[in-house]
Amino acid sequence: MLDNTHNLDLSAQDLKLIQDALHTREKILSVQSRAGGNAAKRRLNEIKTLMARVGRNTAKPHQTECKSWMGLTRTLFG
C-alpha cells in the first residue's frame, strides 16, 4: 500500500460510484479466489481494506433522531 496520501476533491456521487466499482471488483475477485487463485485472494484483501477505508471516510447522511410524530413531540416537549 502507498505510504503517501493525497486529498481529492470528490463529490458524494463520485464516492458512490467508486464504492460501487469496488464492490463489483470484490465480487469478481471473490469468485476468482474461490477457484484457487492466490493472487486473487491477495488482491481481494486489498480491495476489502480499501473499501473499509473509503466507507469510514465518507460522510454518512444525517439521520434524524425522530422517526415518528410521537418521537418529535417527545423531543420538543419531553
Side-chain angles (χ1 to χ4, degrees):
M1 187 151 323
L2 298 175
D3 290 334
N4 57 355
T5 59
H6 303 279
N7 291 330
L8 298 174
D9 185 24
L10 298 172
S11 69
Q13 185 178 2
D14 294 337
L15 286 172
K16 178 69 174 137
L17 183 62
I18 290 168
Q19 287 177 315
D20 290 346
L22 288 172
H23 185 69
T24 300
R25 186 68 177 142
E26 178 191 26
K27 287 181 180 181
I28 293 167
L29 287 169
S30 179
V31 170
Q32 290 175 344
S33 69
R34 283 194 301 264
N38 287 331
K41 288 179 186 177
R42 193 169 42 254
R43 189 71 174 144
L44 178 61
N45 288 334
E46 292 172 357
I47 292 292
K48 286 182 178 182
T49 302
L50 180 58
M51 288 175 66
R53 286 179 54 213
V54 169
R56 277 193 310 266
N57 290 319
T58 55
K60 304 289 186 240
H62 180 67
Q63 296 179 350
T64 58
E65 296 288 324
C66 309
K67 297 192 186 272
S68 68
W69 177 254
M70 290 301 290
L72 178 60
T73 56
R74 264 187 255 127
T75 301
L76 293 174
F77 301 107

